[in-house]
Amino acid sequence: MKILVVEDEDKTGMFLQQGLNEAGFNTDLACNGIDGLHLALTQVDAYDLIILDVMLPGLDGWKVLETLRLSGRDMPVLFLTARDQVEDRVKGFELGADDYLVKPFAFSELLARIRSLLKRTRITPEATVLTVADLELDLLRRRVSRAGIRIELTAKEFSLLELLMRREGEVLSRSLIASQVWDMNFDSDTNVIEVAIRRLRRKVDEPYGLKLIHTLRGMGYVLEVSDKI
């Protein structure tokens, strides 16, 4: 999915772009309101969501959003701004914003809000059973089985496996896994993710000939059917 970030602070903009790319989104960055509005109006493939600051050079976020809505663009817009007054939030929603998050912010919360907004725009319901090869994860009954054999997992192991299966074939960085499963910033001094992956492999992979969870050194982990990794 494509996301446009309109943010004039270089450090914040690059942080958002990198984090969202690691989370699996195709992210463009505009550093002022004029460029942001131009991208939002002219891209052949429309953006699925826009993250918009208020205080922008050239054209402020209020005007960018107002112009988008007047032009008929209905993609979700999330304001990400230091303006924390109630009247600012009210103005944003009255202009057509779908959400409003105040800086400073937790990236995990931003991701959760983005995914929530994107879910609202989906037409097809999400699958309740995820399947990769002979591995099956039932979201409603919270059950996991492989080759028809039930596998007992802890709550965190279940969440980790769900993330890997939902993003089948994608290399997931440790920072992404930390934010999605543990709701924390990644600390390079901790081995909690490596330990969790090891335990999950012991239950899901070791008893079977076909290995599904793979490590790409220096990059992260991927769940896929492959004999080349």
Side-chain angles (χ1 to χ4, degrees):
M1 286 188 166
K2 291 181 62 177
I3 292 180
L4 172 63
V5 175
V6 188
E7 169 61 62
D8 65 317
E9 295 180 3
D10 291 341
K11 185 176 180 180
T12 302
M14 293 178 65
F15 168 76
L16 288 169
Q17 186 175 38
Q18 179 179 346
L20 291 170
N21 284 340
E22 288 183 357
F25 297 104
N26 182 5
T27 311
D28 290 336
L29 175 63
C31 299
N32 60 70
I34 295 174
D35 289 345
L37 180 60
H38 176 75
L39 284 172
L41 292 175
T42 60
Q43 282 290 301
V44 176
D45 296 324
Y47 290 103
D48 297 289
L49 183 139
I50 296 175
I51 298 173
L52 185 61
D53 195 2
V54 173
M55 302 303 294
L56 293 167
L59 198 66
D60 66 37
W62 306 131
K63 193 62 179 178
V64 171
L65 176 58
E66 184 179 19
T67 306
L68 283 174
R69 294 307 188 226
L70 288 174
S71 68
R73 303 302 197 276
D74 60 355
M75 72 280 283
V77 173
L78 184 153
F79 270 119
L80 183 63
T81 174
R83 298 184 64 131
D84 60 354
Q85 298 300 307
V86 172
E87 52 266 32
D88 292 324
R89 299 174 192 239
V90 171
K91 181 176 181 178
F93 287 122
E94 287 181 341
L95 286 172
D98 297 271
D99 204 350
Y100 196 107
L101 184 60
V102 175
K103 300 174 182 176
F105 62 96
F107 187 73
S108 57
E109 181 182 359
L110 176 63
L111 268 182
R113 288 173 181 258
I114 289 171
R115 296 192 189 284
S116 177
L117 288 174
L118 291 175
K119 282 180 182 179
R120 297 177 198 172
T121 63
R122 291 177 188 169
I123 299 175
T124 56
E126 289 191 4
T128 59
V129 177
L130 306 178
T131 304
V132 178
D134 56 353
L135 176 64
E136 185 176 285
L137 184 146
D138 190 321
L139 294 166
L140 296 181
R141 295 191 295 172
R142 309 294 290 180
R143 291 183 179 179
V144 175
S145 63
R146 184 159 186 190
I149 301 173
R150 178 86 174 268
I151 300 174
E152 297 293 339
L153 299 180
T154 66
K156 285 299 183 186
E157 289 168 348
F158 188 94
S159 297
L160 176 57
L161 182 60
E162 178 186 350
L163 176 64
L164 289 167
M165 292 182 72
R166 283 190 183 278
R167 308 286 285 276
E168 177 190 0
E170 294 183 39
V171 179
L172 306 184
S173 67
R174 289 168 175 79
S175 59
L176 171 64
I177 294 173
S179 67
Q180 292 291 293
V181 179
W182 279 269
D183 193 24
M184 68 177 189
N185 293 323
F186 178 65
D187 183 352
S188 59
D189 293 330
T190 183
N191 66 343
V192 62
I193 296 172
E194 286 78 2
V195 170
I197 289 286
R198 191 183 312 128
R199 289 176 177 170
L200 188 60
R201 274 193 175 124
R202 192 175 302 142
K203 297 178 179 181
V204 171
D205 261 354
E206 285 188 5
Y208 305 92
L210 178 63
K211 308 306 179 187
L212 297 176
I213 302 174
H214 309 278
T215 301
L216 276 70
R217 295 192 180 279
M219 299 176 65
Y221 303 95
V222 58
L223 187 146
E224 66 178 354
V225 180
S226 175
D227 56 1
K228 297 180 181 180
I229 297 182

